[in-house]
Amino acid sequence: MPREKVKFALRIRPETQQLVKDLCPKANCQNQNEFIEKAIHFYAGYLATEDAADFLPPLYSSALRGIVHDSENRTCRLLFKLAVELDMVMNVLAAGMEIPEEDLERLRGRCVREVKSTNGSVTLKDAVSYQKGGA
């Protein structure tokens, strides 16, 4: 036994009705009622879900995933290059300076605190100021 349907009045603009008529074949709908019912289910699902990606066309989702993946790869490559350069600088400094272990550990703790407090926005000017006895 097919599900019983409820009849109700629907008032829409003529151009909206024409849009429904035009898109019925594209949506594989037999009639305007089926089209409107599908549209209501789609919109209700969109409002109810926390993941709107379920309602994006697969092409958009795929393109967004690709963009994010490329961005992650680019960021990782740049971070790797930066780490290599930083390692080179640290080795050059370590070869030319004799820093006691306890001073190095104290400096590391201060640097960790500073990076945390500035969200990583540390400048050479601030470091020079600190090394010259500034705050």
Side-chain angles (χ1 to χ4, degrees):
M1 184 164 132
R3 284 198 213 181
E4 187 177 320
K5 294 198 174 195
V6 177
K7 184 176 181 178
F8 71 97
L10 174 66
R11 295 178 59 94
I12 59 175
R13 293 185 183 96
E15 59 270 15
T16 305
Q17 184 181 23
Q18 188 59 50
L19 182 64
V20 170
K21 284 180 183 178
D22 293 344
L23 292 176
C24 268
K26 192 171 186 175
N28 292 326
C29 294
Q30 301 296 321
N31 54 48
Q32 294 176 54
N33 286 337
E34 185 180 355
F35 183 92
I36 292 170
E37 191 169 2
K38 278 185 175 182
I40 290 170
H41 282 286
F42 178 84
Y43 190 63
Y46 171 76
L47 292 175
T49 187
E50 291 186 18
D51 185 10
D54 293 341
F55 295 94
L56 287 174
L59 180 64
Y60 291 147
S61 295
S62 177
L64 287 174
R65 271 193 286 281
I67 290 168
V68 169
H69 185 261
D70 290 348
S71 179
E72 286 174 347
N73 284 340
R74 193 174 310 112
T75 301
C76 288
R77 284 193 306 274
L78 290 172
L79 285 173
F80 179 81
K81 289 177 182 180
L82 183 61
V84 169
E85 294 298 320
L86 183 59
D87 190 40
M88 290 172 59
V89 169
M90 288 190 301
N91 276 283
V92 168
L93 284 173
M97 306 190 79
E98 293 180 17
I99 303 173
E101 187 75 29
E102 58 275 358
D103 289 350
L104 188 60
E105 287 304 313
R106 205 170 32 252
L107 179 62
R108 178 178 304 284
R110 189 194 81 66
C111 289
V112 167
R113 286 189 304 277
E114 185 170 343
V115 168
K116 282 182 180 179
S117 71
T118 63
N119 286 327
S121 180
V122 181
T123 65
L124 181 59
K125 183 180 177 183
D126 293 339
V128 170
S129 173
Y130 175 79
Q131 292 302 322
K132 289 183 176 181

